Structures are given as C-alpha cells and as structure tokens.
Amino acid sequence: MNLKIILTPLILACGVLLLSSCSEKTSTSEEVENQEGVSNYLSKPLVSHIYTADPSAHVFNGKIYIYPSHDEESEIKQDDSGAHFNMRNYHVFSMESIDAEPVDHGVILDIDDVPWAKRQMWAPDAAEKDGKYYFYFPAKDHDDIFRIGVAVADKPEGPFKAEAEPIKGSYSMDPAVFQDGKDYYMYWGGIWGGQLQKWRTGKYISTGDRPYDDEPADDEPAIAPVIAKMSEDMLQFGEEPKQISILDKDGSPILAGDHERRFFEAAWVHKHDGKYYFSYSTGDTHNIAYAIGDSPYGPFTYQGVVLKPVEGWTNHHSIVKVDDKWYIFYHDTELSGETHLRNIKMAELTHNPDGTIQTIDPMKKP
C-alpha cells in the first residue's frame, strides 16, 4: 500500500508534483460497465456498507472468517509512503458457506485500545491454537516506526484484547501466520512505506527522506521478506527472524531491479500436495506472484502470477481451502474508484496437475 514518485511528462498534465496524485483516481464501476455495457469485473464486492481491503481468510469451526483492514477517508494528505491509508480499526466478517453473504461482527479492535499504537492499522491476519484466537496487526508506534502487535480472544469474531506492547523484535508490516502441523510461522514485511528497507542493517536506519531511498541497487538481490516460528503462547517470536530467499529457476536470487517479480509486500503461505506456496504482491507492477518451496523457510522458486493487477494501485490477497476447493480473497476499488477506499472480493483458484497455479485476471468477466 505504498506509492512511488515517478517524474514523467504526465505530471505537467495533472498539474501536480506527484504522479501518484493523478494515478490514485481510478475508474468507478459505472464507468467500467459503460465501456462495453456490461461489467468487466471477475467478481462482485463481498462487502459494500464499509470499505475493506487486505482480506485474510480462514476456516474456523466450519465457518469462513475474513479479517480485512478497514479503509476510511482521512484528513492525512496523500504521499508516496501511504500515510493517507490511515486506518484506525478492524472488523471481522463470517460466512456460513462460500456462497453466503458475509456477516459483519463489528469492530474487533480499535487503535485507542492499543497503548503502543499511534496510527495506520494496516493488513492483519489471525490464527487459532488450542481454542484461543490470535489477531496479528501492524501499526506505527509513537516514533512512527511500524511494529506488529497481537490481540487475543476466545471466539474468532472477538472481541480481541491487545497486548500492552508489540511483539518483541517486530518491525515492518503485513503479518501472515501459517500453521504447519503443530508449528506456527509468521511471515511479514513490506518495502517503501512498509519500512522493510530501513532495517537492512538490523536496526532502523534511513539514509534519505524518501521511503525507497534505502533500497539495494537494481543488480543486487531484492530485499527479502522475513519469517519466524512463533512461541508456544503465540505472543512472541520463538526464534530469531530469518530472511526468505526467492530464487529464479536457475537458482539465482530475484534482483531488486526486477519489479515484475521481486517481493514488495503482502506475504501469504499455503500448502498444497506437500509443497509450500509463498505468494506476495510485486507492488508497483501490481501482480500477486508466487514461488514454491519444500520447507516453510524456503528457499522458494519463482513460478509466475496468481492474480493480475486489480483496479486500483494496491494488490493484496489470501488463499484458503474451503471444503475441496481453493479460493483467493483480494480487493479492488470497484465501489469507490479511489485507491485508498477498497472493497474485498474472492474468486476460485485452481492448481494445475504439475503444481502450478492458473493465473486469474480480476478484470475479465468469465
């Protein structure tokens, strides 16, 4: 959920200093429908009474639960660090079946209930262990540094009570927790406004005033997402965080300049036929890409694109198995036409016999 300044002649046409300021506005659903008389969207919004994004979907107790971020209009001015994505609370939605209407269980956590958090409650996730439910969320602390917090509940719909402090040693954003047998792993990280590039030395250091000043050179390996096994109580990391390698098929690392394939944000892991699938957003090229490995820690070998660009700048997803079928949950801007006011959707996902995933085009009606 970060925008990068790109100076082009279009800036003059827009009459502003940032290209992102004119590219933020996207077509409304009515405009898209009018182009050909019918909707070009693959799927319909699941929720329309509030704006929702970054959906993390899980099956708990036979129901589908969706944990999205909650987009709202903000007085914060738009910038290329994503400050105008100034979300303040979270809702949770449940579905009795894949075809059912989502039920809004209301606010499960508000920023005012998190002592250490200052602003920007971005993409969350949830996990269940021994009858307890754990809600993981990023927010900026009072020094404007992203940390990852955890809140606990007795029911998947909450209410959740946040721990007084963020997870020790946490940084950046977009937590995703994957259960593999009795073990739970958190994956996280996001560059540019997500601040992951500022932790390259192990400490928060910035050499410039732009979010992407601390990126590696184009011919260097791309900044890696991070993994850590969770502690037994699910409240802390149970080990030192490790970087994840995303490799080309020749075994070489994906490079920082390879914006079509390098990791940007939105890590997610699912397991299919004994293989681990690491999927993620490529950010400024707007794909959900994926790589496959033999271990939760990787390395993961790049395979291709799961989801092509949606309407809007950001692309963020989760993948979950419901009964015998797989689904991808994602968002776009059909309802608002504004990149910071999104709506969640879903579509069926298909694994090919060779283990690859069929690419989904969210802007192509079946």
Side-chain angles (χ1 to χ4, degrees), residues 115-119 139-147 166 170 195:
W116 60 267
K118 177 182 177 182
R119 62 189 178 111
K140 283 184 176 175
D141 65 14
H142 294 283
D143 294 320
D144 269 342
I145 296 175
F146 267 116
R147 305 291 182 180
S170 67
Q195 301 181 343

Side-chain angles (χ1 to χ4, degrees), residues 250-328:
D250 64 4
S252 61
I254 300 296
L255 300 181
D258 188 353
H259 287 210
E260 291 289 337
R261 300 190 299 168
R262 63 90 166 88
F263 173 82
F264 188 95
E265 61 185 2
W268 188 265
V269 171
H270 75 278
K271 190 175 182 179
H272 175 69
D273 284 350
K275 296 290 186 179
Y276 298 86
Y277 288 70
F278 183 86
S279 48
Y280 57 95
S281 171
T282 60
D284 57 335
T285 52
H286 317 296
N287 288 315
I288 298 297
Y290 75 107
I292 298 178
D294 295 318
S295 162
Y297 293 97
F300 296 94
T301 301
Y302 180 88
Q303 301 294 318
V305 172
V306 179
L307 184 70
K308 291 183 178 181
V310 298
E311 180 190 72
W313 201 93
T314 66
N315 205 350
H316 194 119
H317 72 300
S318 61
I319 295 171
V320 63
K321 191 175 187 179
V322 181
D323 298 324
D324 294 326
K325 293 184 177 181
W326 288 93
Y327 296 88
I328 184 169

Side-chain angles (χ1 to χ4, degrees), residues 22-28 31 311-313 333 336-339:
C22 56
S23 62
E24 276 277 286
K25 180 71 176 177
T26 57
S27 301
T28 65
E31 290 169 342
E311 180 190 72
W313 201 93
T333 61
S336 73
E338 300 285 348
T339 282

